[in-house]
Amino acid sequence: MNASQSAIAALTQRLKSQFPEGAVITDPARLDAYDCDGLLVHRVRPAVVVLAQDAEQVQQTVAACADMRVPFVARGSGTGLSGGALPHADGVLVVMSGFREIREVSAPDQRAVVDPGVINLSVTQASSPQGYYFAPDPSSQQICSIGGNVAENSGGAHCLKYGFTSNHVLAAEVVLPDGSAVTLGQRAPDAPGYDLLGAFVGSEGTLGVATEVTVRLLRTPETVQTFLAGFESTDAAGAATSAIIAAGIVPAAIEMMDALAIEAAEAAVACNYPRGAGAVLVVELDGPTAEVETESAQAQRLCREAGAFEIRLAADAEERAAIWRGRKSAFAAVGRISPDYIVQDGVIPRTKLSQVLHQMGELAETKGVRVANVFHAGDGNLHPLVLFDGAVPGQEARAEEVSGAILDLCLEHGGSITGEHGVGFDKAKHMPKMFTEIDLDTMQRVRCAFDPAGISNPGKIYPTPRLCGEVPRKHTADEPDRFAGRAEVF
Ligand SMILES: Cc1cc2nc3c(=O)[nH]c(=O)nc-3n(C[C@H](O)[C@H](O)[C@H](O)COP(=O)(O)OP(=O)(O)OC[C@H]3O[C@@H](n4cnc5c(N)ncnc54)[C@H](O)[C@@H]3O)c2cc1C
């Protein structure tokens, strides 16, 4: 038995003595059920799975990991698309999905306090009777958890107007990697001191485990209007998007799908989008009725001026749901037209949309793969789906190559390697394209302040899996932190 195996054996024994029967899983067949998140191409069987039901159990688990220097990875619903919840082979996967109570919905101060395993949509369902909702709405909102949203700083269709998860989280109870519990942020806004909650949101499980989250609720809008606009090309749809924003209108959402994404959605859910469209936009406006009606009419006119050949305004909630059905099912729908695909996530300035889409098309053609586009056009957040057939030798590698080259395109145009899906395991290798070594070292110093032993979701975000606890090797660059051993060397 090597050192890590004996540490795991001792840890398992300790946890089994503390936890109810069945909460600590070591049976390999059952462990395999947790070997990946939504990024199916990477799989690692965890050494142990703990099904946590409350904050105390999370704390017991993390404390045991800290004592034995065993890595741990938090997992919400496992829908992440960047391998953030990919387990560690010699570590514990702390599964939060059974830890899901909505503790408070408070209309007077527009707050909800929830367990980390609570499903995103449940927060809106619980608050809507009081006239409120939770704004960040990933397309996975029916299944993803608030803990996962916080860790990924998740976005969604309505983040154009309302901002990402970080704009809606006020406080989090967190179990730090040494097993201690702290509160970051507070119910009232803008406390003095460093914004440690800001550092935690989007840290992808590398700074500790959230065990309770206080979120901001928004008033349910008086009116919502949704229309679908069909265009001949993504250029025309992109021009309409820019025109709407340039007119000073901020729709709740502007989503674009190209011809291939429409084909996939039609095959899967028969969404009946305009025939022959090279691109569609789903535009949604919400707010006071008078404002929505005026701005919706203006946005429809701008779409027509940009070349929309068909516009359908939803007359009621049923028609609105029908318009959204194609968009919401698009990722999964791509399975209808391709055996395999990679969901990429990069962001670019909105004004570069048409240029980047063209270059992406040329790139895909050169490499002999197809790319379907379905994305948040309003904020330039792209989700190219790179299609391939894993059974055809070489296709997966070419798709990976195209997928990486798309990120290069995003960077060339002043964008970023991830818009909302996080870096996780998948994109760690791309981080040096965007950040200098000093940038990365500086980020690591923050991480090391929370997790000096490097046991909280190691191997994610940063290009190599070196632990904070390792003694840094000498580095050629003249960078004092590295020489002093205060920062990690890549
Ligand atoms: C069909 C589909 C559509 C999607 N659409 C969107 C979209 O529109 N916008 C978007 O942003 N994302 C989208 N996603 C990605 C994914 O749903 C989000 O990233 C989501 O926030 C992940 O939540 P989860 O509960 O599944 O987290 P997991 O996948 O389980 O984990 C994600 C990360 O969070 C960490 N984590 C989980 N719980 C905790 C906790 N309590 N404390 C600390 N760290 C924790 C994990 O370690 C991991 O790093 C989509 C995914 C799918 C499959």
Side-chain angles (χ1 to χ4, degrees), residues 99-123:
F99 182 3
R100 58 161 89 166
E101 195 180 314
I102 295 180
R103 300 192 169 267
E104 186 188 343
V105 173
S106 168
D109 62 356
Q110 301 187 208
R111 308 278 187 264
V113 180
V114 306
D115 287 347
V118 165
I119 299 300
N120 174 299
L121 190 61
S122 308
V123 183

Side-chain angles (χ1 to χ4, degrees), residues 3 42 49 78 117 142 188 203 223 274 289 341 383 404 422 448 452-453 489:
H42 299 294
V49 165
Q142 296 189 3
S203 62
T223 304
T289 307
Y341 61 93
H383 289 318
C448 292
V489 175

Side-chain angles (χ1 to χ4, degrees), residues 37-38 73-81 83-86 94 96 116-117 137-141 143-157 164 200 203-206 208-211 327-328 331-332 376 381 383 419-422 424 457 460:
D37 59 8
V73 178
R75 175 184 162 112
S77 303
T79 66
L81 292 168
L86 187 73
V94 193
M96 314 294 278
D137 58 343
S139 301
S140 51
Q141 68 179 153
I143 40 170
C144 65
S145 75
I146 293 294
N149 295 170
V150 168
E152 298 287 4
N153 188 20
S154 290
F164 282 58
F200 187 81
S203 62
E204 303 188 30
T206 60
V209 184
T211 52
R327 165 62 184 91
K328 295 258 176 186
F331 281 13
H376 311 308
N381 193 175
H383 289 318
E420 53 181 6
H421 294 173
N457 209 1
K460 313 294 166 63

Side-chain angles (χ1 to χ4, degrees), residues 33-56:
Y34 298 95
D35 69 356
C36 66
D37 59 8
L39 182 74
L40 308 177
V41 288
H42 299 294
R43 290 174 186 270
V44 174
R45 178 194 289 163
V48 183
V49 165
V50 171
L51 305 176
Q53 303 294 323
D54 57 33
E56 198 189 332

Side-chain angles (χ1 to χ4, degrees), residues 78-256:
T79 66
L81 292 168
S82 57
L86 187 73
H88 193 289
D90 297 319
V92 178
L93 188 73
V94 193
V95 176
M96 314 294 278
S97 49
F99 182 3
R100 58 161 89 166
E101 195 180 314
I102 295 180
R103 300 192 169 267
E104 186 188 343
V105 173
S106 168
D109 62 356
Q110 301 187 208
R111 308 278 187 264
V113 180
V114 306
D115 287 347
V118 165
I119 299 300
N120 174 299
L121 190 61
S122 308
V123 183
T124 289
Q125 285 166 342
S127 26
S128 64
Q130 299 185 49
Y132 291 89
Y133 77 111
F134 181 57
D137 58 343
S139 301
S140 51
Q141 68 179 153
Q142 296 189 3
I143 40 170
C144 65
S145 75
I146 293 294
N149 295 170
V150 168
E152 298 287 4
N153 188 20
S154 290
H158 292 92
C159 293
L160 169 63
K161 183 170 180 181
Y162 296 105
F164 282 58
T165 300
S166 57
N167 301 105
H168 301 271
V169 176
L170 295 157
E173 301 285 328
V174 174
V175 172
L176 295 175
D178 66 358
S180 58
V182 294
T183 304
L184 304 179
Q186 59 173 27
R187 212 171 156 108
D190 208 18
Y194 293 116
D195 181 9
L196 297 179
L197 178 67
F200 187 81
V201 177
S203 62
E204 303 188 30
T206 60
L207 304 185
V209 184
T211 52
E212 185 180 282
V213 184
T214 302
V215 299
R216 190 193 305 279
L217 300 175
L218 298 188
R219 190 86 184 131
T220 309
E222 188 184 356
T223 304
V224 179
Q225 269 204 15
T226 308
F227 68 85
L228 180 72
F231 297 84
E232 278 179 8
S233 66
T234 52
D235 280 359
T241 305
S242 294
I244 293 170
I245 307 272
I249 302 169
V250 185
I254 310 184
E255 300 285 297
M256 197 194 297

Side-chain angles (χ1 to χ4, degrees), residues 230-233 259 262 266 273-280 309-310 312:
F231 297 84
E232 278 179 8
S233 66
I262 298 168
E266 290 292 357
Y273 280 0
R275 284 178 77 83
V280 293
F309 62 83
E310 186 174 337
R312 289 183 206 161

